[in-house]
Amino acid sequence: MKVETRIGGRAGNLKVEAASFRYEREDGAVAEGEFSLQTLEPGCVSVLIGGRSYRVTRGAAGEMMVNGQPVAAEVFDPRSLRSRKSGADRGGRHDICAPMPGKIVRVLVEAGDAVKAGQGLVVVEAMKMQNEMKSPKAGRVVEVRTKVDAAVSPGEVLMVVE
Amino acid sequence: MKVETRIGGRAGNLKVEAASFRYEREDGAVAEGEFSLQTLEPGCVSVLIGGRSYRVTRGAAGEMMVNGQPVAAEVFDPRSLRSRKSGADRGGRHDICAPMPGKIVRVLVEAGDAVKAGQGLVVVEAMKMQNEMKSPKAGRVVEVRTKVDAAVSPGEVLMVVE
Amino acid sequence: MFRTVLVSNRGEIAVRLIRGLKDLGIKSIAVYSDADRGSLAVSLADEAAYLGASPSSESYLRMDKILEAARRHGAEAIHPGYGFLSENAEFADACAAAGVVFIGPSGDAIRKMGSKIAARRLAIAAGAPVVPGTEQAVGDLAAAQRVARELGYPVLIKASAGGGGKGMREVAREEDLAAALRDAASESLRAFRSEEVYLEKLVVEPRHVEIQVLGDKFGHMIHLGERECSIQRRHQKVIEECPSPLMRQNPELRERMGEAAVKIAREAGYWNAGTMEFLVDRELNFYFLEMNTRLQVEHPVTELVTGLDLVEWQLRIAAGERLTIQQSDVEWTGSAIECRIYAEDPANGFLPSPGKITALKEPSGPGIRLDSGVYSGWTVPLDYDPLLAKLVAWGGSREMAMGRLDRALAEYSLAGIRTNIGFFREILADEEFREGRLSTAFLEGFFERSVSRETLGVEAEAAAAIVASLGEKKSEVADSTEISRWLAAGREQMLR
Amino acid sequence: MFRTVLVSNRGEIAVRLIRGLKDLGIKSIAVYSDADRGSLAVSLADEAAYLGASPSSESYLRMDKILEAARRHGAEAIHPGYGFLSENAEFADACAAAGVVFIGPSGDAIRKMGSKIAARRLAIAAGAPVVPGTEQAVGDLAAAQRVARELGYPVLIKASAGGGGKGMREVAREEDLAAALRDAASESLRAFRSEEVYLEKLVVEPRHVEIQVLGDKFGHMIHLGERECSIQRRHQKVIEECPSPLMRQNPELRERMGEAAVKIAREAGYWNAGTMEFLVDRELNFYFLEMNTRLQVEHPVTELVTGLDLVEWQLRIAAGERLTIQQSDVEWTGSAIECRIYAEDPANGFLPSPGKITALKEPSGPGIRLDSGVYSGWTVPLDYDPLLAKLVAWGGSREMAMGRLDRALAEYSLAGIRTNIGFFREILADEEFREGRLSTAFLEGFFERSVSRETLGVEAEAAAAIVASLGEKKSEVADSTEISRWLAAGREQMLR
């Protein structure tokens, strides 16, 4: 089995055959050898490599914890290599996305308003923390897709600035 | 829904309709009212009855823990009421059963031996604890179904004394 | 002593209070909103009363419903915890009117000390030094601009009724004042139901050191020493410890600050547990900042070092018992450090991360105390504070406390949502932290120092990759089956 | 100090030792058998070495494999924990020969104190009182019968190399002697690889009180006070506490017993941690019983009350550091009580109950220390001791320690196998226990007193019945679906 990897923000690849593996990172660093796996609880696996012990827990989506240290970890089949989404910037249009699950507590602009770079656009609140989304550039609000008291999910587009 | 119950060794019955229940024990004690259920972890449920809080965990087979207190709890459909096994005593034949998962460390008698009541027959060990199974009566060993070093499960018949 | 006490709070502090009641054989009544029916507090309490919908304005801030629940369940007293109604004088009065004991100071004392502006005046009357600032709530923007110019920038906006960094904003330049005022007032309104804010001179890079006081209704008042709470992010405490590393070189400072704190509390006719917050500058001048007229989040560090149970004493004092401890009885042994485990994402600006906890293994063992409000399977609601748990380590020395804390953090696995658990391990590895060179600016410096943070080793990355390759997003069943298959294949060839 | 240490043990003590190593920044090496590949100890250690098949004779008792693992992983020292090779002089010698430090006393001291018979002689030489009995291993049955008649029944058979109740039998009548000797010798052979047993007069209803000693390699030796371990079942300790309730009325007894213990240890040229076990009769006479030349299972109660970390001191002393604590520095604060959580079935003669733990929520919070070796999903092997975890509560008073312990036990949910968790709550409710009237006969009396044990209330039974009716033996998925359906049905009608 061979997969492309992206661990802690760096690309690499992993080959696994029976109880042997070879992991190579884009900077040339390599780890290889025999390994032993043991599921502890669901989502928590003990990995032994050369007698060294790693407790790997699946954290939030796309994240692992290794001995308590979180690390972004993704693998993909090389034949169906996913491209990273970059919806935030498409030909001068900027999507303003909800950064976290929460509720809209204030909408500070209307469609058609001219805005300066860094100007506040909308305030999202979750867990008693208010987060003001700011305009990434000077321009104009072309669309407002949310309203006060709306519940939002992370990544949801709230407005578009052009 | 109506089921027969056996809780803490006493028979009773339970009727449930939507969020109401009525539980009556063989000694006439009754609890009834509204209840609210909430699964916490798999196997662990919070039950509120009249504002009182019960944390119920499924323990070992046939056992519940209520607020940390273990209690034997079984329910059965009244139409298919199970009869309790009493395989230990069948017309003078006594099955000598393994009381726990373990290993046979000594077999002290052979088929055909005459035994006294209380005489040691076989020694089972688990978790460093040896348990000598004794004859329930004076009689004769008619069958030995195990041998030294055998792994045994709880309830497994090791010998028969007649 | 009381036989039945209602806890009008939620989360980890409700659990801590319910445990404290059980320890004394007192019946505990939890309250809950829709979001909290499945909370740990409800399942641990003897009884539980439903309050209302999830927003706190419909539940944990509803005095009428809480008092009705207390009546219905026969509670003789109410412990308000921290936040919510804990520093609300009106609630303390309403309890008294309903014949239920409010476990805390009198409504009068809350009024005197609960407003930061009133507390300042009182501290000045008691002879304690204070930070320069307004004595009254600022009115409009123009008035605020005038005051800020007088004090000189940087200034700090604070909510009069506030605490825990809510409704607080640092302002370095006049052009930022308007937005900061608006945000602070709005946050304050939501959190404390009061828009009142005031201005203060910002003391640069101070330490935040607070003193725990404890007094009975007969005028006996002592202090239980300090907690250093300098490590804050956006004025929200993150790590607290006792003793303050400052006190090692300056043992007389604890005595001086303790005396000042006791004087202020006496001046206010205060009883029960309370905390005086001070800023300490580099020359070891200390300034009274405000009083928290309730139990603090970080009270466990004081409990571990003094061996006293603050909740037990709160209950005894509220029940009219005498505080039988004299100042000279109080001893501070070893060192305790607390980490506030938040549902937040350090890799993404520490944004809140509510959601379902899918797996959890909590740390334990020598020197570890965990006050947690969560369990595996619990959905952390987005309606409340992101505090999941407090992890506290005690050791005979600060070094041992740090060692144990780091070990416990490494053991702490929590999946499904993001937390700051890993972030604490980075702080514990920081030289400035280890040396005890702390200030409220600590984290800014830390973020700069740690730009090139050490990543995992290549072999640990490989371990993560191997587990990730077992099937990201697959169900647990598929996961463990696949592992079994691999294991079976690998077992014979395995080098041992 | 060492940089790398191997822990040649398993279960909760391996976890406790690995934690202790991590606390000091020392690299920890676990060892494991087939049954323990998935153990908590292996997953928490920095490194792990495979020993062999599950039976301890193939793994945890294999000196050769353990020393080879130490060599391969660069361990400078080995901590043996308790049980297994911890009191094996040959192993201590083999470590020394291999250039690895054995964390414990010298092989010579183990020889002197490890054999109960040799230790008796040494105690007599040191002027300490001992229980009447044989000075040598009994030979055949005839010899044993002769000795037993001389001492007068009841007598006690004990394994010379033993501890923890293994290879021990009480004999009340001569006709039971043969069977008891056979069982004791066989159990001793399996547990300690020695068939040697001896006889002692049985002191009736004594208290079992032991003294912790600690000494360095430079001749400095102190004691850390007592642990009362009277509550035993089949000579296996079940509950331990410090201070002994005896010491409250007799504070000078601790000093006298402590002095005797230190004298015996000095006589043996002992260093590192060790424990002198004594019987105390009703007239407060104490008799030296035996020495355990290793860390005790119940060491946490001493740690909680003295604030000292015994494992840290074991490591420091083994590394050649001086013990810097003087006898007068040692203080005993508050009260600590430990429950040994066993995989056993109290409702079925306390038979072992190995198997898979399907759900686990461990207690935590103020005053609670849990040293656990298990997790949800772990299969408790049948090859080893049934000890799952040690739950220890500390409180400012014995009453508070009991309150916290009871609360923690009530929070402890463990499903899949049977344990004695509920049994401890019954003991905590017992008047004799609460009053501190303890003896090694405590449990016999307790079982008689509690014949008509209080059952759950009828409403709690109803709660159990409701949950049971959701589908006994059904999969968890079916279970929670069914609950959801009920919830949906019930929600509208619910009285709130």
Side-chain angles (χ1 to χ4, degrees):
Chain A
M1 188 193 69
K2 189 169 174 176
V3 292
E4 304 290 321
T5 60
R6 177 168 286 274
I7 310 290
R10 279 187 290 199
N13 66 72
L14 171 74
K15 248 190 303 195
V16 176
E17 246 167 75
S20 301
F21 77 99
R22 184 173 199 282
Y23 168 69
E24 182 169 355
R25 215 161 57 184
E26 58 185 356
D27 64 1
V30 169
E32 60 188 329
E34 308 282 323
F35 69 95
S36 149
L37 280 184
Q38 174 80 39
T39 302
L40 307 178
E41 316 184 46
C44 183
V45 180
S46 159
V47 183
L48 293 183
I49 300 176
R52 284 170 295 280
S53 174
Y54 300 96
R55 203 160 35 93
V56 183
T57 309
R58 281 169 201 276
E63 194 172 279
M64 296 277 167
M65 293 185 80
V66 183
N67 295 340
Q69 203 73 34
V71 61
E74 293 180 283
V75 297
F76 6 79
D77 191 316
R79 289 157 300 184
S80 65
L81 199 56
R82 287 181 268 169
S83 64
R84 311 216 128 231
K85 274 183 272 179
S86 60
D89 190 346
R90 309 186 314 278
R93 280 173 66 97
H94 280 265
D95 292 348
I96 308 303
C97 300
M100 58 188 182
K103 221 168 83 177
I104 303 298
V105 292
R106 264 195 315 282
V107 178
L108 303 167
V109 293
E110 288 176 36
D113 284 3
V115 290
K116 288 184 286 188
Q119 182 180 334
L121 301 175
V122 56
V123 181
V124 187
E125 181 178 291
M127 300 183 122
K128 306 284 146 199
M129 191 204 269
Q130 296 197 357
N131 203 270
E132 187 176 84
M133 310 295 302
K134 294 181 163 64
S135 179
K137 62 169 189 182
R140 187 166 300 276
V141 178
V142 293
E143 210 180 328
V144 173
R145 296 197 196 162
T146 194
K147 55 174 199 254
V148 168
D149 278 344
V152 296
S153 312
E156 189 176 325
V157 177
L158 307 177
M159 329 196 145
V160 181
V161 173
E162 198 173 74
Chain B
M1 189 194 67
K2 190 169 174 175
V3 291
E4 304 289 321
T5 60
R6 177 168 286 273
I7 311 290
R10 279 188 291 200
N13 66 73
L14 171 74
K15 249 190 302 196
V16 175
E17 247 168 73
S20 302
F21 76 99
R22 184 174 201 281
Y23 168 69
E24 181 169 355
R25 215 161 56 183
E26 58 184 355
D27 63 1
V30 169
E32 59 187 331
E34 308 282 324
F35 69 94
S36 150
L37 281 184
Q38 173 81 42
T39 302
L40 306 178
E41 317 183 47
C44 183
V45 180
S46 159
V47 183
L48 293 183
I49 300 175
R52 284 169 296 280
S53 174
Y54 301 97
R55 202 159 37 92
V56 184
T57 308
R58 282 170 200 278
E63 192 173 281
M64 297 277 168
M65 293 185 79
V66 183
N67 296 340
Q69 204 74 32
V71 61
E74 291 180 282
V75 298
F76 7 77
D77 190 317
R79 289 158 299 185
S80 65
L81 197 58
R82 286 182 268 167
S83 64
R84 310 215 131 233
K85 272 183 272 173
S86 61
D89 191 347
R90 311 184 313 280
R93 280 173 66 97
H94 281 266
D95 291 346
I96 308 302
C97 299
M100 58 189 182
K103 221 167 85 175
I104 303 298
V105 293
R106 264 196 313 284
V107 178
L108 303 167
V109 293
E110 286 176 40
D113 284 3
V115 291
K116 288 183 285 188
Q119 181 179 336
L121 301 175
V122 55
V123 181
V124 187
E125 181 178 292
M127 303 183 122
K128 305 287 145 196
M129 193 204 267
Q130 298 197 356
N131 202 270
E132 188 176 86
M133 310 294 304
K134 294 182 163 62
S135 180
K137 61 170 189 179
R140 188 169 298 279
V141 178
V142 293
E143 210 180 327
V144 174
R145 296 197 197 163
T146 194
K147 56 174 197 250
V148 168
D149 278 344
V152 297
S153 311
E156 189 177 325
V157 177
L158 308 177
M159 334 196 141
V160 181
V161 173
E162 198 174 73
Chain C
M1 181 52 96
F2 307 117
R3 276 156 305 166
T4 306
V5 172
L6 183 142
V7 173
S8 63
N9 214 303
R10 65 173 302 284
E12 71 83 19
I13 192 63
V15 172
R16 192 267 174 262
L17 295 173
I18 289 163
R19 283 174 170 158
L21 292 168
K22 287 184 177 262
D23 293 351
L24 297 168
I26 299 168
K27 191 194 272 185
S28 53
I29 319 294
V31 292
Y32 62 97
S33 68
D34 281 335
D36 281 337
R37 167 63 185 89
S39 71
L40 192 58
V42 167
S43 79
L44 292 181
D46 292 309
E47 302 183 5
Y50 174 71
L51 293 179
S54 301
S56 26
S57 55
E58 300 298 314
S59 48
Y60 300 105
L61 291 173
R62 283 289 294 268
M63 302 184 199
D64 54 342
K65 292 195 174 179
I66 290 167
L67 285 169
E68 166 57 19
R71 196 197 53 72
R72 207 164 60 242
H73 288 265
E76 304 152 72
I78 294 180
H79 198 306
Y82 52 71
F84 296 126
L85 298 171
S86 62
E87 298 186 278
N88 187 312
E90 202 188 317
F91 183 58
D93 291 346
C95 286
V100 179
V101 178
F102 175 83
I103 298 171
S106 66
D108 273 356
I110 296 178
R111 256 175 225 105
K112 278 186 194 149
M113 298 306 297
S115 150
K116 291 180 192 174
I117 296 167
R120 263 179 76 89
R121 284 187 204 137
L122 221 134
I124 293 166
V130 299
V131 179
T134 53
E135 297 255 323
Q136 60 241 357
V138 290
D140 58 3
L141 179 59
Q145 282 174 335
R146 205 167 45 241
V147 171
R149 273 182 217 145
E150 268 168 35
L151 292 171
Y153 286 92
V155 297
L156 197 59
I157 307 174
K158 293 172 118 180
S160 296
K166 279 181 202 103
M168 192 183 280
R169 289 289 186 282
E170 274 181 31
V171 186
R173 301 170 310 174
E174 184 160 271
E175 53 265 49
D176 299 332
L177 190 61
L181 271 176
R182 187 186 63 210
D183 285 1
S186 149
E187 231 176 72
S188 172
L189 182 63
R190 287 175 169 265
F192 316 111
R193 309 189 127 191
S194 155
E195 280 192 302
E196 219 178 73
V197 298
Y198 67 100
L199 293 187
E200 217 172 72
K201 171 80 184 150
L202 185 70
V203 180
V204 177
E205 298 201 8
R207 285 177 182 253
H208 179 122
V209 179
E210 61 189 25
I211 300 285
Q212 176 71 51
V213 297
L214 194 60
D216 64 22
K217 294 183 179 171
F218 309 96
H220 177 43
M221 170 77 58
I222 61 173
H223 74 86
L224 302 183
E226 80 289 351
R227 288 183 291 260
E228 162 120 32
C229 311
S230 295
I231 301 193
Q232 306 186 348
R233 209 183 55 75
R234 298 176 57 161
H235 297 282
Q236 184 77 37
K237 293 166 191 165
V238 174
I239 297 182
E240 301 99 347
E241 59 183 299
C242 177
S244 162
L246 214 52
M247 302 300 176
R248 264 185 302 181
Q249 290 101 37
N250 312 282
E252 82 300 341
L253 186 59
R254 174 185 287 157
E255 217 170 303
R256 282 167 48 216
M257 293 180 70
E259 273 170 26
V262 167
K263 262 190 211 154
I264 302 171
R266 282 221 181 91
E267 184 80 23
Y270 195 89
W271 64 61
N272 216 299
T275 296
M276 306 291 176
E277 298 197 332
F278 294 92
L279 293 182
V280 182
D281 70 16
R282 290 174 194 165
E283 288 75 39
L284 301 189
N285 300 307
F286 59 89
Y287 305 98
F288 172 74
L289 214 55
E290 65 183 62
M291 180 175 195
N292 295 311
T293 59
R294 47 143 169 105
L295 191 67
Q296 297 280 83
V297 176
E298 59 271 22
H299 73 276
V301 298
T302 299
E303 294 188 327
L304 286 174
V305 168
T306 63
L308 299 170
D309 186 320
L310 282 169
V311 171
E312 178 187 2
W313 278 110
Q314 286 197 292
L315 290 162
R316 292 196 184 286
I317 288 165
E321 293 186 24
R322 280 177 188 277
L323 173 60
T324 51
I325 306 162
Q326 305 306 313
Q327 188 63 59
S328 56
D329 297 336
V330 182
E331 285 180 43
W332 293 268
T333 307
S335 178
I337 310 178
E338 171 180 286
C339 293
R340 295 195 187 187
I341 310 298
Y342 286 120
E344 64 183 19
D345 186 359
N348 188 17
F350 292 88
L351 285 181
S353 177
K356 182 166 179 172
I357 296 173
T358 55
L360 177 64
K361 172 88 182 119
E362 293 178 329
S364 173
I368 296 304
R369 167 169 167 187
L370 183 70
D371 280 17
S372 167
V374 303
Y375 58 86
S376 177
W378 169 240
T379 298
V380 181
L382 60 78
D383 309 277
Y384 315 109
D385 257 7
L387 185 63
L388 302 175
K390 296 171 328 199
L391 177 64
V392 202
W394 180 90
S397 63
R398 185 168 188 263
E399 176 122 31
M400 189 55 146
M402 289 190 290
R404 286 174 167 174
L405 194 52
D406 188 59
R407 172 254 298 174
L409 287 162
E411 280 183 29
Y412 208 144
S413 358
L414 192 153
I417 59 174
R418 293 193 162 80
T419 73
N420 56 354
I421 293 170
F423 174 61
F424 287 118
R425 297 198 67 200
E426 293 175 18
I427 294 180
L428 280 174
D430 183 72
E431 200 52 38
E432 298 288 304
F433 180 82
R434 300 195 73 80
E435 297 292 325
R437 289 194 292 270
L438 309 179
S439 84
T440 57
F442 173 86
L443 278 188
E444 288 166 42
F446 170 76
F447 287 128
E448 281 166 29
R449 281 194 295 284
S450 61
V451 170
S452 65
R453 278 182 227 171
E454 201 36 54
T455 52
L456 297 168
V458 64
E459 196 173 88
E461 286 184 25
I466 290 169
V467 175
S469 74
L470 293 175
E472 210 190 5
K473 299 259 184 189
K474 280 187 194 166
S475 78
E476 294 308 337
V477 179
D479 173 318
S480 58
T481 310
E482 196 150 356
I483 291 183
S484 311
R485 192 170 53 73
W486 278 32
L487 265 181
R491 196 159 259 171
E492 292 87 3
Q493 295 125 300
M494 201 89 67
L495 257 178
R496 269 164 165 171
Chain D
M1 180 53 96
F2 307 117
R3 278 156 304 167
T4 306
V5 172
L6 183 142
V7 173
S8 64
N9 214 301
R10 65 171 304 282
E12 71 84 20
I13 192 61
V15 172
R16 192 268 173 261
L17 295 173
I18 288 164
R19 283 173 170 156
L21 292 169
K22 286 183 177 264
D23 293 351
L24 297 169
I26 299 168
K27 190 193 275 184
S28 53
I29 319 294
V31 292
Y32 63 96
S33 68
D34 281 335
D36 281 338
R37 167 62 185 90
S39 72
L40 192 56
V42 167
S43 79
L44 292 181
D46 292 309
E47 302 183 5
Y50 175 72
L51 293 179
S54 301
S56 28
S57 54
E58 300 298 313
S59 48
Y60 301 105
L61 290 172
R62 283 289 295 267
M63 303 185 199
D64 55 341
K65 291 195 175 178
I66 290 168
L67 285 169
E68 166 58 19
R71 194 197 54 72
R72 207 165 58 242
H73 287 265
E76 303 153 73
I78 295 179
H79 197 307
Y82 53 70
F84 296 127
L85 297 171
S86 62
E87 298 184 279
N88 187 311
E90 201 188 319
F91 183 57
D93 290 345
C95 286
V100 179
V101 178
F102 175 82
I103 298 171
S106 65
D108 272 358
I110 296 178
R111 257 174 223 105
K112 279 185 192 148
M113 299 304 297
S115 150
K116 291 179 191 176
I117 297 167
R120 262 179 77 90
R121 283 185 206 138
L122 220 133
I124 293 166
V130 297
V131 180
T134 53
E135 297 256 321
Q136 60 240 358
V138 289
D140 58 3
L141 178 60
Q145 281 173 333
R146 205 166 48 238
V147 171
R149 273 182 217 147
E150 271 168 35
L151 292 170
Y153 287 91
V155 297
L156 197 59
I157 307 174
K158 292 171 117 181
S160 296
K166 278 182 202 101
M168 192 184 281
R169 289 290 185 281
E170 274 181 33
V171 187
R173 303 169 308 175
E174 184 161 273
E175 52 264 51
D176 299 333
L177 188 62
L181 270 176
R182 188 187 62 211
D183 285 1
S186 150
E187 232 176 74
S188 172
L189 182 63
R190 283 175 171 267
F192 315 111
R193 310 189 124 189
S194 155
E195 278 191 303
E196 219 179 72
V197 297
Y198 66 100
L199 293 186
E200 217 172 72
K201 170 81 185 149
L202 185 71
V203 180
V204 179
E205 296 200 13
R207 284 177 183 253
H208 179 122
V209 178
E210 61 189 25
I211 300 284
Q212 176 72 51
V213 297
L214 194 60
D216 64 21
K217 293 182 179 172
F218 309 96
H220 177 42
M221 169 78 58
I222 61 173
H223 74 87
L224 303 182
E226 80 288 354
R227 288 182 292 261
E228 163 120 31
C229 311
S230 294
I231 302 194
Q232 306 185 350
R233 208 183 55 74
R234 296 176 59 162
H235 297 282
Q236 183 78 37
K237 294 166 191 166
V238 174
I239 297 182
E240 301 101 346
E241 60 182 297
C242 177
S244 162
L246 213 52
M247 303 300 175
R248 264 185 302 183
Q249 290 100 39
N250 312 283
E252 83 298 343
L253 186 59
R254 173 184 289 158
E255 215 170 304
R256 282 166 50 216
M257 291 180 71
E259 272 171 28
V262 166
K263 261 189 211 156
I264 302 171
R266 282 222 181 91
E267 184 81 22
Y270 196 87
W271 63 63
N272 216 300
T275 295
M276 306 290 175
E277 299 197 332
F278 294 91
L279 293 181
V280 181
D281 70 17
R282 289 173 194 167
E283 289 74 39
L284 301 188
N285 300 307
F286 59 90
Y287 306 98
F288 172 75
L289 215 55
E290 64 183 63
M291 180 174 196
N292 294 311
T293 60
R294 46 141 169 107
L295 191 67
Q296 296 281 84
V297 176
E298 59 271 24
H299 72 277
V301 299
T302 298
E303 294 187 327
L304 287 173
V305 168
T306 63
L308 300 170
D309 187 320
L310 282 170
V311 171
E312 179 187 1
W313 277 111
Q314 285 197 293
L315 290 163
R316 292 197 184 285
I317 288 165
E321 293 186 24
R322 279 178 189 276
L323 173 60
T324 52
I325 306 161
Q326 304 306 313
Q327 189 63 57
S328 56
D329 297 336
V330 182
E331 285 180 44
W332 294 268
T333 307
S335 179
I337 311 179
E338 171 179 286
C339 293
R340 296 194 188 189
I341 311 298
Y342 286 120
E344 63 182 20
D345 187 359
N348 188 18
F350 292 90
L351 285 181
S353 177
K356 182 165 179 172
I357 296 173
T358 55
L360 177 65
K361 173 90 182 116
E362 293 178 330
S364 172
I368 297 304
R369 167 169 167 187
L370 183 69
D371 280 18
S372 168
V374 304
Y375 59 86
S376 177
W378 169 238
T379 298
V380 181
L382 60 78
D383 309 278
Y384 315 108
D385 256 9
L387 185 63
L388 302 175
K390 296 172 329 202
L391 177 64
V392 202
W394 180 91
S397 62
R398 186 169 187 264
E399 176 122 31
M400 188 55 146
M402 288 190 290
R404 287 174 166 174
L405 195 51
D406 188 58
R407 172 255 297 175
L409 287 163
E411 281 183 28
Y412 209 142
S413 358
L414 192 154
I417 59 173
R418 293 192 162 81
T419 73
N420 56 353
I421 292 170
F423 175 61
F424 286 118
R425 296 197 68 200
E426 293 174 17
I427 294 179
L428 280 173
D430 182 73
E431 200 52 39
E432 297 288 302
F433 179 81
R434 300 196 72 80
E435 297 292 326
R437 288 193 292 270
L438 310 180
S439 83
T440 56
F442 173 88
L443 279 187
E444 288 166 42
F446 170 78
F447 288 127
E448 281 165 28
R449 282 194 295 284
S450 61
V451 170
S452 65
R453 278 181 227 171
E454 201 36 56
T455 52
L456 296 168
V458 64
E459 195 172 88
E461 285 184 25
I466 290 169
V467 174
S469 74
L470 292 174
E472 209 190 6
K473 298 259 186 192
K474 279 187 192 166
S475 77
E476 294 308 337
V477 178
D479 171 317
S480 58
T481 311
E482 196 150 355
I483 291 183
S484 310
R485 191 169 54 73
W486 277 32
L487 265 181
R491 195 158 261 170
E492 291 86 3
Q493 295 126 300
M494 201 91 66
L495 257 178
R496 268 166 166 167

